Amino acid sequence: MPYKHNADRRHHIAKMNFRVTNWPEYEPGLRRRGSLTLWMTPEALAGWHAPRRKTRGGQPRYSDLAIETALTLGCVFGMRLRQSEGLMNSVFDLMGLEIPVPDHTTLSRRAQTWKLPAQRNPPLPDGPLHVLVDSTGLKVYGAGQWLEEKHGARSRRNWRKFHLAVDANSGEIIAHRLTDQGTDDPSQVEPLLSQIDGEIDQFTADGAYDGKPTYQTVLQHSATANVVIPPRSTAVESNGDTGPPDQRDKHIAAIAKDGRLQWQAATGYGKRALIETAIGRYKRLIGRRVRARSFATQQTEVANGCIVLNRMLACGRPESVRRQVRQA
């Protein structure tokens, strides 16, 4: 599916063939993603219990590291809190470690206030970034859509909107945000970019982000950023009497002159397919729905899912090149 613009004649477009050039390194990385190799460093054992509290209030028994470890294992293996508690008990027994395991009630309560530490964020590569931004829907518990259509029952099912920013070069999720289903995409550009400390060279998103506010938000973060967003088919250039044409006006003029397909090739808009790949990877490996009930714990669940996905991706990445089609 190279371009949605060719939807009416897409069956005539030949499928692109790619070849993985680093298969000897990539294949062991795929196996490492499913490896059940756990170890506890002396630093982790020393930091398993929460430090003594010097203010008024109850004394927590487990540190944030212990809570994160249990929630991460549950996310990797698709387990609920009770099953995660049982898994950790079994692993610690096999390792001969006599340390307490957070119970499911503690995990549920602490997940509502857990925050991603700054040192857990993936290190950004040197140099300017090519940031890809998009959003997708994650299902929440409740009656299914089939039950609604079949029996007319009122459904409690709704959606959460998962906004994410991906580094185009590494494929890692460098920023994310979870909102309700009614939140529009352009309003989440600023919260996503606030999580990125590096300089942005190019910002690429689909037509849902088109508009002056998105351009202004990106340029406030990185003044020299190249913003690549396809304008709507009904978009018109702004009044040129107030100054030189901005980036959006240039995109509109280029599409009017050379066509949308030529504009996509010239601006590198095809890179946006990589964030679609990242979304598909998240839904295949982590899941298409959130299991937690409250919104706070759902945010924690999604944050852990991003950590797990980045760690799996770090085990091995494919390096693909396009095959040369031989003419008969």
Side-chain angles (χ1 to χ4, degrees), residues 2-305:
Y3 303 101
K4 293 182 179 180
H5 184 70
N6 291 321
D8 57 339
R9 54 187 184 277
R10 190 176 298 160
H11 60 283
H12 295 301
I13 300 176
K15 183 179 180 180
M16 294 184 182
N17 293 321
F18 291 86
R19 179 173 60 88
V20 178
T21 59
N22 64 332
W23 185 252
E25 297 81 17
Y26 179 51
E27 185 182 20
L30 293 177
R31 291 196 294 265
R32 285 195 298 271
R33 292 184 185 183
S35 175
L36 188 57
T37 302
L38 302 176
W39 67 93
M40 297 290 290
T41 63
E43 294 79 9
L45 292 174
W48 191 259
H49 295 279
R52 293 295 302 176
R53 186 172 181 172
K54 298 181 180 179
T55 57
R56 298 180 62 182
Q59 170 63 34
R61 185 178 183 184
Y62 302 99
S63 65
D64 290 340
L65 176 63
I67 301 300
E68 180 186 349
T69 302
L71 295 177
T72 301
L73 285 176
C75 180
V76 171
F77 297 104
M79 294 181 175
R80 298 300 298 128
L81 300 182
R82 287 181 173 84
Q83 288 74 35
S84 300
E85 177 187 353
L87 174 63
M88 291 194 65
N89 275 314
S90 300
V91 170
F92 288 168
D93 289 342
L94 293 174
M95 298 174 67
L97 297 175
E98 296 183 357
I99 55 177
V101 174
D103 60 89
H104 59 276
T105 303
T106 301
L107 292 175
S108 177
R109 183 180 67 253
R110 292 284 296 276
Q112 299 182 22
T113 58
W114 181 86
K115 300 296 182 183
L116 177 65
Q119 60 269 23
R120 296 291 194 278
N121 290 325
L124 296 178
D126 297 333
L129 299 170
H130 183 179
V131 177
L132 310 174
V133 173
D134 203 354
S135 66
T136 186
L138 298 177
K139 294 182 180 179
V140 185
Y141 69 94
Q145 297 175 351
W146 179 87
L147 186 63
E148 288 188 45
E149 297 179 3
K150 183 70 175 179
H151 301 286
R154 293 190 59 185
S155 172
R156 296 174 58 196
R157 177 178 293 277
N158 55 8
W159 299 77
R160 295 292 184 221
K161 215 168 183 182
F162 180 35
H163 309 262
L164 67 164
V166 173
D167 177 18
N169 296 320
S170 66
E172 291 187 351
I173 299 175
I174 56 178
H176 68 274
R177 188 171 173 84
L178 190 70
T179 63
D180 56 45
Q181 59 188 2
T183 304
D184 64 319
D185 292 339
S187 65
Q188 298 306 305
V189 173
E190 193 278 331
L192 288 174
L193 296 185
S194 64
Q195 304 175 37
I196 303 174
D197 296 329
E199 190 74 13
I200 297 177
D201 177 57
Q202 180 167 323
F203 176 94
T204 304
D206 61 16
Y209 295 85
D210 180 40
K212 294 289 185 179
T214 302
Y215 284 82
Q216 294 172 358
T217 301
V218 177
L219 295 178
Q220 286 175 359
H221 182 278
S222 300
T224 60
N226 182 25
V227 183
V228 178
I229 301 175
R232 297 177 176 86
S233 59
T234 57
V236 295
E237 298 182 45
S238 59
N239 189 358
D241 296 338
T242 59
D246 55 15
Q247 293 191 48
R248 186 170 183 268
D249 291 339
K250 294 179 181 178
H251 293 326
I252 296 174
I255 292 175
K257 178 182 177 183
D258 302 323
R260 188 171 293 267
L261 300 185
Q262 187 67 27
W263 172 85
Q264 290 178 348
T267 58
Y269 180 73
K271 281 278 189 178
R272 202 194 66 83
L274 296 176
I275 195 169
E276 300 286 355
T277 303
I279 291 174
R281 186 186 298 121
Y282 182 96
K283 291 189 174 182
R284 287 194 305 270
L285 298 179
I286 307 302
R288 298 177 175 272
R289 62 186 296 267
V290 288
R291 302 179 182 89
R293 296 299 182 96
S294 67
F295 184 61
T297 51
Q298 289 169 1
Q299 291 178 311
T300 299
E301 181 181 341
V302 168
N304 274 287

